[in-house]
């Protein structure tokens, strides 16, 4: 509706409301500011009064929200954002009267240093919002971007931009017309996340009322709406006057520059030069409703019907007919009076009036549609254009209007294509439609436009004029670019399924595919985990804090003899009696043990036997409920192997003792000889006493007693030696020397690794077998390896420690085994003594190791040698005869 029609309507309704004494209350969204300029203008310029309305304007607060105030009857009218539609779809009896802002000013502002350039960057950040209903456009933006709002750290808005400045939050809900001014004044760099750039373009600052108000006071609703829109038209045409009003009467605490900034920003959102104030598109309301449905904020749009107010219902035809009759009679009377005197003048004026009216209507249509028009004279090359086209192209009245200058307005990348298209339509005589970019001379900004038009031809068929329209479609192109970017993001997320998506159902299909893919991934992941869970050779048993088993894998049947389902809801003590005591320690956070800590326990098999186990336990929580997972391994085989190795080491120890006794035999022979010598002497004395004429029986008894003591002493010495070596006679069999080497190294491997020694094998293959006592030869190898390890311990830290063991055939068909190290070596004065009994270079040594080693080698008809260079290392080597050579009775 035009302003003239609106003023006429207000004038016609003055009589209806002039006598009304009831005040009308309007609830604003926030404190007084330029954001509500139209309502102040309607009040101060008398538009409400002329409509017969006594209007009281209430500013809003964080507690006084327009939707609630109007629904509770505290005000008949209010001004709200997209939450108005959301509440309507949820059942509130609300009616939208006029959309003042065609685009929402609601944005999220973040400090540039926070690194937030897209909604994806908000994850883990502190975001200040009012609530999900009031900030519905942000919720829709998050949904469009596939962001789970529950994973965002949202803080209720304090309405103070200082919280963003001071770093209390990372992103702040703001208006384009307000908060950016504060940040620019303080020199703070910031970034803006505008829902419009992510497919969410909502109406804002919507004038609304209730269904009851419309039902019982329809004329008042219409009058209030029209007076309010007139106020907005005035405010847009006189922003400085409204700013003076706000500063002087309403005493707001903003500066004039701030209010001017706000006025400019609001004008770009209202766009009164292009779209009628209060215009509402039903399709756009439906699109907003669909956005809420996709975001899961409402279930359907069944209540959308009747939400948008129609200001022009059908007029009563009978009254209209009476008005027409009266008008016709008046026109006939007036025509008769003036027909004679002004016939020719009236005819000319009427034609001019019709032409002027048609021109205004055409201009209005173009302005409403955002179309600028132009006419190019193809003969002269000159062209003329509308003011809206000049605004779109960024030119003024002084711009030279000829075809070459027109070409300069077209972006170079599109210029030739556009000119070729013009040539083509001249040849084809068809209408044209094309999109291209332009460069505005006034600000060098590039804009996208769409051109419609046709060519007029003269009577000779030659092109004479090019008539066309230009519409700025930059926002549409930006939306398309946003869609392309979203498509690309979608391709990255859903990979191979992208080709199945189409533009018409992009948003819906993306969600369907994502959910389907997630479901399949969940099923696959669950299947893989179950496969791993049941394929594990270890038993995996999960219990709760009450020691009740909640799950078990298939391996428990092998270990304990129970089927997994037999154990569910049974106490863990059925399998591991000690676990109850053990788990008590895990109830405290400081005692929680990870899986890597293993302890040995005994479990109970279903048949009652005891099973040795390795047990490790992990603690975790699901939905605030604590669980413990036992991982158990049956170590029966390992225990058996350990016992076998222990027996083997005992045999090696016995060989050591046996060798030690052999070497010590010569050292302790004098102990046996001494009592034997004493016995011999005492016996001789006794014989002498017996042979005497008068034997001294007392002395004889004393001598015999001493003889007995010495005999007992010798017996004890011999007994001890027999006990030390009994039941371990030498047992020889055929053996592979290389296998003996590997077995011996295995028993010393821990010491080799602990001392960071590089082990090198140089073993000849296919060596003949030897006939030896396995235990004794392993003892020889272990003694030599440990001597080398001891020698390498004292090597410098930077030196690479090496131990080389080799085997080969030598002269006389003997097999030679060499143990070589690069340690400190043996001093020359010590080299003569190292193989002698009871000589040692170690602080705690007995000096018998190498002596025993030599004895064991020689007992096998071999020889032991060594060579050593101080500072360079030592090599011990011994020989063993092959089986043929040693194949004789032992």
């Amino acid at each position: 509706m035009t302003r003239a029609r609106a003023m006429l309507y207000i004038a016609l309704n003055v009589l209806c409301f002039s006598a009304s004494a009831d005040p009308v209350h309007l609830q604003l969204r926030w404190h007084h500011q330029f954001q509500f300029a139209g309502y102040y203008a309607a009040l101060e310029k008398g538009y409400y009064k002329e409509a017969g309305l006594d209007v009281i304007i209430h500013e809003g607060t964080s507690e006084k929200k327009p939707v609630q105030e109007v629904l509770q009857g505290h005000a008949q009218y209010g001004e709200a954002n997209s939450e108005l539609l959301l509440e309507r779809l949820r059942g509130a009896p609300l009616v939208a009267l006029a959309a003042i802002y065609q685009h929402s000013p609601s944005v999220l502002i973040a400090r540039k240093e926070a690194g937030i350039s897209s909604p994806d960057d908000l994850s883990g950040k502190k975001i200040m919002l009012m609530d999900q209903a009031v900030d519905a456009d942000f919720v829709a933006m998050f949904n469009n971007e596939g962001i789970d709002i529950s994973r965002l750290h949202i803080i209720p808005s304090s309405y103070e931009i200082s919280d963003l400045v001071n770093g209390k939050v990372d992103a702040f809900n703001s208006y384009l017309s307000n908060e950016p001014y504060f940040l620019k004044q303080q020199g703070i760099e910031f970034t803006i996340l505008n829902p419009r750039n992510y497919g969410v373009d909502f109406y804002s600052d919507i004038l609304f009322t209730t269904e009851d108000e419309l039902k019982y006071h329809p004329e008042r609703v219409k009058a209030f709406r029209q007076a309010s829109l007139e106020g907005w038209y005035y405010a847009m045409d006189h922003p400085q006057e409204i700013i003076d009003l706000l500063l002087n009467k309403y005493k707001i605490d903003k500066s004039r520059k701030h209010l001017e900034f706000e006025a400019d920003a609001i004008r770009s959102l209202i766009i009164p030069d292009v779209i009628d104030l209060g215009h509402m598109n039903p399709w756009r309301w439906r699109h907003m409703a669909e956005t809420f449905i996709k975001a899961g904020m409402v279930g359907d749009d069944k209540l959308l019907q009747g939400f948008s107010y129609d200001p022009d219902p059908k007029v009563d035809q009978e009254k209209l007919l009476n008005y027409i009759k009266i008008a016709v009679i008046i026109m006939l009377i007036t025509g008769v009076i003036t027909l004679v005197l002004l016939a020719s003048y009236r005819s000319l004026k009427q034609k001019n009036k019709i032409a002027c009216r048609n021109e205004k209507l055409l201009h209005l249509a173009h302005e409403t549609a955002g179309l600028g028009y132009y006419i190019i004279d193809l003969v002269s090359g000159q062209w003329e254009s509308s003011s809206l086209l000049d605004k779109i192209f960024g030119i003024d009245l002084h711009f030279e209007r000829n075809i070459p200058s027109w070409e300069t307005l077209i972006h170079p990348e599109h210029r030739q294509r556009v000119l070729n298209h013009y040539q083509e339509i001249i040849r084809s005589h068809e209408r044209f439609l094309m999109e291209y970019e332009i460069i505005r001379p006034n600000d060098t900004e590039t804009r996208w436009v769409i051109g419609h038009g046709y060519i007029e031809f003269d009577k000779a068929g030659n092109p004479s004029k090019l008539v066309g329209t230009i519409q700025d479609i930059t926002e549409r192109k930006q939306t398309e670019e946003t869609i392309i970017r979203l498509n690309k993001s979608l391709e990255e997320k859903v990979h191979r399924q992208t080709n199945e998506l189409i533009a018409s159902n992009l948003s819906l299909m993306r969600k369907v595919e994502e959910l389907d893919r997630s479901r399949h991934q969940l099923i696959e992941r669950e299947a893989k985990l179950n496969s791993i869970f049941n394929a594990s050779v270890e038993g995996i048993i999960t219990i709760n804090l009450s020691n009740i088993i909640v799950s078990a894998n298939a391996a428990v049947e092998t270990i304990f003899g129970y089927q997994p389902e037999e154990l569910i809801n049974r106490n863990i003590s059925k399998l591991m009696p000690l676990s109850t005591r053990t788990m008590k320690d895990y109830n405290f956070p400081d005692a929680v043990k990870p899986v890597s800590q293993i302890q040995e326990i005994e479990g109970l098999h279903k048949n009652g036997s005891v099973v040795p186990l390795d047990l490790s336990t992990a603690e975790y929580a699901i939905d605030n409920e604590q669980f413990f997972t036992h991982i158990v391994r049956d170590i029966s085989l390992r225990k058996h192997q350990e016992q076998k190795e222990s027996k083997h080491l005992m045999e090696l120890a016995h060989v050591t003792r046996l060798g030690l006794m052999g070497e010590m035999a010569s050292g302790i022979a004098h102990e046996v000889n001494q009592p034997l010598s004493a016995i011999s002497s005492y016996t001789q004395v006794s014989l002498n006493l017996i042979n005497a004429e008068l034997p001294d029986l007392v002395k004889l008894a004393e001598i015999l007693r001493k003889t007995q003591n010495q005999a007992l002493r010798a017996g004890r010495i011999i007994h001890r030696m027999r006990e030390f070596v009994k039941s371990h006679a030498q047992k020889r069999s055929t053996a592979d020397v290389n296998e003996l080497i590997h077995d011996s190294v295995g028993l010393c491997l821990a010491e080799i690794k602990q001392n960071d020694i590089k082990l090198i094998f140089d073993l000849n293959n296919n060596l003949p077998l030897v006939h030896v006592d396995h235990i004794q030869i392993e003892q020889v190898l272990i003694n030599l390896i440990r001597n080398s390890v001891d020698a390498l311990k004292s090597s410098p830290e930077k030196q690479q420690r090496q131990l080389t063991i080799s085997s080969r055939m030598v002269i006389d068909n003997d097999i030679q085994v060499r143990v070589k190290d690069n340690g400190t070596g043996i001093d020359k004065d010590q080299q003569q003594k190292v193989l002698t009994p009871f000589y040692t270079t170690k602080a705690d040594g007995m000096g018998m190791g190498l002596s025993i080693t030599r004895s064991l080698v020689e007992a096998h008809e071999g020889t032991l040698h060594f060579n050593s260079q101080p500072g360079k290392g030592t090599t011990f080597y011994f020989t063993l005869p092959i089986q043929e050579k040693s194949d004789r009775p032992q």
Side-chain angles (χ1 to χ4, degrees), residues 217-231:
H217 306 285
E219 296 301 326
R220 184 166 72 184
V221 171
K222 191 169 186 177
F224 184 84
R225 177 183 182 275
Q226 293 304 327
S228 298
L229 293 179
E230 280 304 308

Side-chain angles (χ1 to χ4, degrees), residues 238-251:
H238 306 85
Q240 292 298 331
E241 181 180 338
I242 302 303
I243 290 173
D244 289 337
L245 177 67
L246 290 169
L247 292 172
N248 298 327
K249 180 174 180 179
Y250 290 89
K251 305 296 182 182

Side-chain angles (χ1 to χ4, degrees), residues 377-473:
D377 189 327
L378 298 178
V379 178
S380 65
Q382 301 297 311
W383 52 275
E384 59 184 67
S385 58
S386 67
S387 59
L388 182 56
L389 184 137
D390 293 350
K391 184 176 180 180
I392 294 172
F393 275 138
I395 59 178
D396 54 23
L397 295 175
H398 304 293
F399 185 77
E400 188 173 359
R401 285 168 165 75
N402 53 41
I403 291 179
S405 63
W406 176 277
E407 295 177 5
T408 63
L409 298 173
I410 303 173
H411 195 286
E413 294 182 2
H414 301 262
R415 188 173 297 156
Q416 191 58 47
R417 176 176 62 82
V418 173
L419 295 178
N420 291 342
H421 193 67
Y422 280 135
Q423 294 296 327
E424 176 63 27
I425 63 169
I426 290 175
R427 288 194 298 270
S428 64
H429 293 201
E430 295 179 354
R431 290 178 174 272
F432 64 86
L433 169 65
M434 55 183 164
E435 298 178 1
Y436 54 91
E437 270 189 296
I438 62 171
I439 301 178
R440 295 157 52 99
N442 62 342
D443 54 13
T444 68
E445 181 183 355
T446 60
R447 306 287 291 179
W448 275 93
V449 299
I450 183 170
H452 298 260
Y454 60 93
I455 303 293
E456 290 185 354
F457 297 88
D458 59 18
K459 294 181 179 179
N462 298 317
S464 59
K465 287 184 175 57
L466 190 153
V467 180
T469 61
I470 294 292
Q471 185 177 18
D472 189 334
I473 59 170

Side-chain angles (χ1 to χ4, degrees), residues 490-500 517 524:
L490 184 61
E491 289 174 2
E492 294 173 355
K493 293 179 180 178
V494 298
H495 300 292
R496 294 171 295 179
Q497 300 173 348
T498 305
N499 293 332
E500 300 176 10
R517 182 164 60 91
E524 290 176 2

Side-chain angles (χ1 to χ4, degrees), residues 669-682 710-711 714 718:
H670 68 280
E671 291 190 25
V672 179
N673 287 333
Q674 186 178 10
L676 290 177
S677 297
I679 291 170
S680 179
S681 298
Y682 289 145
Q710 292 299 325
I718 294 171

Side-chain angles (χ1 to χ4, degrees), residues 110-168:
R111 293 184 62 146
K112 192 170 185 179
E113 61 191 32
I116 298 174
S117 58
S118 71
D120 289 334
D121 298 328
L122 293 172
S123 180
K125 305 291 186 181
K126 296 180 180 178
I127 310 165
M128 193 164 275
L129 300 177
M130 285 184 281
D131 59 56
Q132 293 189 25
V134 176
D135 286 329
D137 40 3
F138 295 140
V139 177
M141 177 180 72
F142 296 146
N143 181 70
N144 282 357
E145 291 299 292
I147 298 172
D148 185 354
I149 193 171
S150 65
R151 300 180 62 183
L152 300 178
H153 187 185
I154 297 177
I155 301 173
S157 180
S158 64
Y159 304 93
E160 296 293 338
I161 190 64
S162 59
D163 286 339
L164 179 67
V165 175
N166 297 331
K168 183 177 179 181

